Amino acid sequence: MRKSKLLEMNNVGIVVENLDNAISFFLEIGLILEGRGMVEGEWAAQVTRLGNQSVEMAMMVTPDGHNRLEISKFLIPETISDHRKAPVNSLGYLRVMFRVDNIDELVSRLIKKGAELVGEIVQYEDAYRLCYIRGTEGILVGLAQQLNEK
């Protein structure tokens, strides 16, 4: 049998309580809504082992078309745990990071829409300006502005 090779990263998934708010938040960052729909049926149950399920989801894509974020709201079964307020050194899913071209402007816009800056916007050497923000539902997002782009 031929050895499999990695082709691409398809998406990162985030589960939320309010899909519309999450879509709005990620649209503000600059992602594009690629599609929205329901995930149900036996095939989904076989993949997740959750049994009967009904999930409303939205697929968002970065402007370059290379990276996707799948945002899901579980209608059935209900979500069973919540780690959105966990600090950055917690185990498991932590954050998604996006490279942006004007971190100060974006952070200002996001704060006006209710996001919270976790620490400060800091500069790492001559390479990046970085920060973490908590957006809708406490979702942790990293932002990075590359300096001295060529």
Side-chain angles (χ1 to χ4, degrees):
M1 180 183 292
R2 182 177 63 82
K3 183 179 178 182
S4 178
K5 65 179 180 177
L6 179 68
L7 301 177
E8 68 182 18
M9 186 175 112
N10 190 280
N11 69 62
V12 172
I14 297 177
V15 176
V16 298
E17 290 179 311
N18 188 315
L19 191 60
D20 291 328
N21 286 349
I23 290 169
S24 178
F25 174 71
F26 287 108
L27 285 172
E28 193 69 32
I29 289 176
L31 275 75
I32 300 160
L33 181 61
E34 188 174 53
R36 187 171 176 166
M38 296 297 294
V39 176
E40 301 174 297
E42 188 176 326
W43 72 270
Q46 290 174 320
V47 171
T48 64
R49 293 186 71 184
L50 291 177
N52 183 31
Q53 64 185 328
S54 180
V55 182
E56 186 178 5
M57 59 84 57
M59 189 66 75
M60 303 197 72
V61 62
T62 55
D64 64 6
H66 293 272
N67 300 289
R68 286 172 175 73
L69 187 63
E70 180 182 303
I71 307 169
S72 302
K73 175 182 174 44
F74 277 79
L75 306 172
I76 301 170
E78 293 181 12
T79 54
I80 61 169
S81 64
D82 188 344
H83 59 271
R84 292 174 290 184
K85 301 292 184 184
V88 298
N89 61 339
S90 299
L91 296 174
Y93 161 78
L94 180 60
R95 59 139 175 89
V96 176
M97 182 168 275
F98 299 102
R99 186 167 64 97
V100 300
D101 67 352
N102 187 339
I103 196 168
D104 295 304
E105 186 278 332
L106 179 56
V107 167
S108 176
R109 250 188 310 125
L110 293 172
I111 287 172
K112 287 177 185 171
K113 294 194 173 271
E116 297 176 13
L117 192 57
V118 172
E120 301 175 32
I121 299 174
V122 299
Q123 185 163 325
Y124 172 71
E125 298 181 350
D126 291 332
Y128 287 96
R129 294 186 69 230
L130 309 147
C131 71
Y132 287 159
I133 59 168
R134 287 216 182 261
T136 187
E137 298 190 31
I139 295 170
L140 188 61
V141 173
L143 300 174
Q145 178 181 341
Q146 187 174 349
L147 303 174
N148 303 321
E149 284 189 74
K150 297 177 181 168

